[in-house]
Amino acid sequence: MSFSSVVKRIKTEVVFYINLAKDTEGASGIEYAIIAGMAAVALAAFMTPISGAITTIFTGIKAALIPTP
């Protein structure tokens, strides 16, 4: 392979990668997937404390609405 063909190939690859970096076609879909993944992790991490707090709130409401005999 001659030097000029190697240089030409490197130039075409550089142009390809520059154009690839400029391409934002699927960026919003990927961003939404990342946000959904972060929301799922946050929900899984805080499910038990939130569940306990909601149960406490509704137990208090129930106790206020239904008098004990």
Side-chain angles (χ1 to χ4, degrees):
M1 200 180 268
S2 69
F3 180 73
S4 62
S5 64
V6 170
V7 170
K8 184 177 178 181
R9 182 173 176 171
I10 291 173
K11 283 183 181 180
T12 57
E13 288 185 12
V14 168
V15 169
F16 171 76
Y17 287 117
I18 289 173
N19 289 335
L20 186 64
K22 290 179 183 178
D23 185 24
T24 59
E25 185 70 29
S28 62
I30 292 170
E31 290 167 356
Y32 286 126
I34 291 171
I35 291 170
M38 289 171 37
V41 168
L43 185 63
F46 296 111
M47 184 58 90
T48 303
I50 291 173
S51 173
I54 291 173
T55 302
T56 303
I57 291 170
F58 280 109
T59 303
I61 292 171
K62 178 182 172 185
L65 294 176
I66 301 173
T68 54

